[in-house]
Amino acid sequence: MEEKLMRLKDVLPIVNVASSTWRRWVKEGNAPKPIKRGRCTFWRSSEITEYVTSEQWAPQQAGAVPFEGAM
């Protein structure tokens, strides 16, 4: 069975941070590494689930900007 891939618009409501915060965390290596397919960027749903349920997940302590809905 193939793993579900998520776009940024699907990830943001789960992690509840702004896209700028998420992109910074990815760049710094503090969030799951994305998968590139052509010009599109995806994340594995299992890695996102694991990330938000891990001890590493503490958006308020990391200075996160809350997600405010549609981009």
Side-chain angles (χ1 to χ4, degrees), residues 32-55:
K33 186 176 179 179
I35 299 166
K36 293 282 198 172
R37 296 235 172 124
R39 294 174 34 198
C40 297
T41 304
F42 300 93
W43 285 266
R44 289 182 178 91
S45 60
S46 63
E47 290 181 1
I48 298 300
T49 302
E50 183 179 324
Y51 180 70
V52 298
T53 58
S54 72
E55 291 180 14

Side-chain angles (χ1 to χ4, degrees), residues 4-46:
K4 180 181 176 190
L5 297 178
M6 303 173 73
R7 303 279 312 252
L8 182 62
K9 69 180 182 75
D10 302 318
V11 172
L12 292 179
I14 295 169
V15 297
N16 198 33
V17 296
S19 61
S20 58
T21 300
W22 181 253
R23 291 175 200 270
R24 179 172 41 91
W25 288 355
V26 169
K27 184 177 180 180
E28 294 171 349
N30 296 325
K33 186 176 179 179
I35 299 166
K36 293 282 198 172
R37 296 235 172 124
R39 294 174 34 198
C40 297
T41 304
F42 300 93
W43 285 266
R44 289 182 178 91
S45 60
S46 63

Side-chain angles (χ1 to χ4, degrees), residues 56-70:
Q56 179 184 2
W57 179 242
Q60 295 79 14
Q61 296 173 4
V65 177
F67 176 66
E68 296 293 335

